């Protein structure tokens, strides 16, 4: 699908780089940019009760910083001369995911830069609200990444699961315009109930019908973690983007014990587009 509305979620401090990446992507995709400036309110500890002035003063400072970030973002968006809208929210942690969900419903793509990814509470809220609740694709970038609209090579992580299929469909426009798509299957299981007699062949045929230049890479893990295999292969083939499904296991299990999605959310050598 084409991305005509991009939702960029940014925090309340040092967000110039993340906003610049969002503006750049919106310009390249000729898309409307919705910017959501958010901060999650600090929760008082037991020692703060009754609530003291220090805790209240911190909230006031956070809200001032949020307003200041919003005003600077508005100025940058106006200079960029792109269609946009912008809102800011200072919210409690239990309500953050719902705020993001209600905005992500009206977006084709949700974008997170490296500054926002570093905020674990905000990252978790975006995953819950955008990926799980609104079921929108999430693009994770850093300041040095090549723009997603100009990717030449893509690594598509494939495990024959619904999440991976949805990720491929959400990213189809990017896949079609890429020079090459490496469909990577780690430790393929050539059984009917797993990856099929020729792991990756069915998905490759499906993509080829959409005009995707695809090659299947069957990768042995050799005892390494799947995420390490994918990241290493992405570097080897010169991929500009990794496309993958989110959370094959329950998100609670992955957050507690670790997993492919959780590792990719925290760090990856190239931009990652995930969907569920």
């Amino acid at each position: 699908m084409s991305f005509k509305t991009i939702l960029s979620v940014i925090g309340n401090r040092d967000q110039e780089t993340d906003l610049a990446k969002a503006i750049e992507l919106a310009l390249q995709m000729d898309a409307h940019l919705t910017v959501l400036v958010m901060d999650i309110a600090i929760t008082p500890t037991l020692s703060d009760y009754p609530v003291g002035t220090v805790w209240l003063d911190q909230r006031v400072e956070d809200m001032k910083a949020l307003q200041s970030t919003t005003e600077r973002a508005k100025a940058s968006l106006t200079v960029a001369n792109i269609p946009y809208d912008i809102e800011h929210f200072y919210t409690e942690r239990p309500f953050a995911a719902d705020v993001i969900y209600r905005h992500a419903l009206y977006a084709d793509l949700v974008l997170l830069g490296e500054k926002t990814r570093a905020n674990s509470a905000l990252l978790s809220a975006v995953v819950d609200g955008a990926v799980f609740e609104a079921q929108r694709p999430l693009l994770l970038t850093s300041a040095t990444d090549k723009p997603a609209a100009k990717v030449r090579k893509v690594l598509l992580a494939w495990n024959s699961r619904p999440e991976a299929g949805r990720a491929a469909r959400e990213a189809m426009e990017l896949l079609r315009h890429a020079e090459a798509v490496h469909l990577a299957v780690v430790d393929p299981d050539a059984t009917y109930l797993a990856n099929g007699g020729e792991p990756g062949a069915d998905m490759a045929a499906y993509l080829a019908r959409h005009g995707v230049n695809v090659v299947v890479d069957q990768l042995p893990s050799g005892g390494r973690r799947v995420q390490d295999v994918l990241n290493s292969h992405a570097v080897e083939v010169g991929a500009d983007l990794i496309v993958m499904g989110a959370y094959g296991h329950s998100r609670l299990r992955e957050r507690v014990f670790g997993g492919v999605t959780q590792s990719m959310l925290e760090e990856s050598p190239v931009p990652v587009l995930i969907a569920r």
Side-chain angles (χ1 to χ4, degrees):
M1 66 175 294
S2 59
F3 303 121
K4 290 305 179 184
T5 303
I6 299 172
L7 170 63
S8 174
V9 182
I10 63 176
N12 71 337
R13 291 181 174 87
D14 301 322
Q15 296 299 316
E16 289 79 7
T17 302
D18 286 1
L19 181 61
K21 294 291 289 188
I23 291 173
E24 181 182 29
L25 185 62
L27 283 168
Q28 291 166 352
M29 292 187 168
D30 192 24
H32 180 97
L33 180 60
T34 295
V35 178
L36 185 58
V37 188
M38 286 191 67
D39 195 13
I40 297 178
I42 58 173
T43 304
T45 63
L46 291 176
S47 60
D48 292 323
Y49 288 99
V51 175
T53 58
V54 173
W55 180 76
L56 291 173
D57 289 344
Q58 182 61 57
R59 290 175 67 94
V60 171
E61 288 301 314
D62 287 344
M63 286 187 280
K64 287 181 179 178
L66 192 67
Q67 182 64 43
S68 177
T69 298
T70 303
E71 292 303 321
R72 292 197 304 272
K74 283 182 180 178
S76 298
L77 290 161
T78 301
V79 170
N81 194 29
I82 60 173
Y84 77 90
D85 62 281
I86 183 170
E87 289 188 78
H88 66 275
F89 287 87
Y90 188 67
T91 184
E92 307 295 332
R93 188 163 187 166
F95 309 116
D98 187 62
V99 171
I100 294 167
Y101 158 73
R102 296 188 182 281
H103 286 77
L105 274 178
Y106 311 107
D108 299 309
L109 178 70
V110 180
L111 179 66
L112 276 187
E114 60 183 350
K115 290 291 185 179
T116 308
R117 290 171 72 179
N119 184 328
S120 60
L122 197 49
L123 173 61
S124 178
V126 171
V127 171
D128 287 346
V131 179
F132 279 91
E133 300 301 329
Q135 296 191 348
R136 293 299 187 266
L138 172 63
L139 178 61
L140 308 166
T141 68
S142 71
T144 58
D145 292 335
K146 179 177 293 187
K150 294 187 177 181
V151 297
R152 296 184 305 106
K153 294 184 179 180
V154 179
L155 186 147
L156 172 61
W158 184 249
N159 59 3
S160 303
R161 296 182 63 90
E163 299 86 1
R166 180 175 177 82
R169 291 191 296 276
E170 293 284 4
M172 188 62 74
E173 194 73 11
L174 297 175
L175 301 182
R176 287 180 58 248
H177 287 93
E179 293 178 8
V181 174
H182 291 261
L183 192 152
V185 188
V186 180
D187 291 335
D189 183 348
T191 62
Y192 176 77
L193 295 177
N195 301 122
E198 184 57 42
D202 290 346
M203 188 58 181
Y206 168 79
L207 293 173
R209 295 185 197 111
H210 282 271
V212 178
N213 182 23
V214 59
V215 58
V216 177
D217 297 336
Q218 297 182 2
L219 309 172
S221 67
R224 294 180 296 165
R225 300 182 306 169
V226 172
Q227 53 266 40
D228 294 335
V229 176
L230 293 175
N231 283 331
S232 176
H233 194 60
V235 173
E236 288 173 2
V237 302
D240 305 307
L241 177 70
I242 296 174
V243 175
M244 61 180 289
Y247 292 98
H249 301 294
S250 73
R251 46 185 158 164
L252 175 60
R253 176 180 171 184
E254 287 222 15
R255 286 177 182 170
V256 173
F257 299 106
V260 179
T261 308
Q262 194 63 30
S263 295
M264 292 295 198
L265 287 170
E266 294 166 357
E267 185 177 6
S268 59
V270 297
V272 181
L273 187 148
I274 65 173
R276 183 173 176 83

